Amino acid sequence: MKKFIRGFGYAFNGLAHAAKTQLNFRVHLVAALVAVYAGYALHIATGEWLWIGFCIALVLMAELLNTALEFLTNLVSPEWNKTAGHVKDMGAAAVLVAALFALLTGAVIFVPKIMLLIHAA
């Protein structure tokens, strides 16, 4: 049981390190807070909350995995290496795909509600 509980400590250490050292992770956290605030303000439905939550988790996980991949690549290949560069680029591409999916999902959920507010005013 101690190992299990200790594992949560390691996970929280990873989150804290990412938040302290990674600008992109902080940007994604701010975007997540904006999405949560917008969802609250626009009274989105339960199903829409699930999609927003899924997108937030997907983007943050992709960013954490990309950061871990970059750290590992730097450890294994500290000098410039073309293949190491491709590894880092593909990790960044994974974050881009997740972020674009989140952006599209957010647009589908929020734009119609914002348009209703604009036309109602």
Side-chain angles (χ1 to χ4, degrees), residues 17-74:
H17 185 71
K20 287 177 193 169
T21 65
Q22 302 301 307
L23 174 63
N24 288 343
F25 189 76
R26 291 191 301 272
V27 168
H28 291 304
L29 285 174
V30 169
L33 290 173
V34 168
V36 168
Y37 176 77
Y40 177 77
L42 295 171
H43 307 287
I44 64 175
T46 302
E48 294 169 327
W49 273 117
L50 290 172
W51 279 105
I52 295 299
F54 173 74
C55 287
I56 290 170
L58 181 68
V59 171
L60 292 178
M61 285 189 307
E63 188 63 54
L64 287 166
L65 289 170
N66 180 50
T67 299
L69 192 63
E70 287 182 357
F71 281 8
L72 183 60
T73 303
N74 290 343

Side-chain angles (χ1 to χ4, degrees), residues 58-103:
L58 181 68
V59 171
L60 292 178
M61 285 189 307
E63 188 63 54
L64 287 166
L65 289 170
N66 180 50
T67 299
L69 192 63
E70 287 182 357
F71 281 8
L72 183 60
T73 303
N74 290 343
L75 178 67
V76 174
S77 181
E79 295 86 32
W80 185 87
N81 180 297
K82 185 176 180 180
T83 302
H86 290 315
V87 169
K88 289 180 173 188
D89 290 347
M90 286 185 270
V95 177
L96 178 64
V97 168
L100 289 174
F101 175 75
L103 182 65

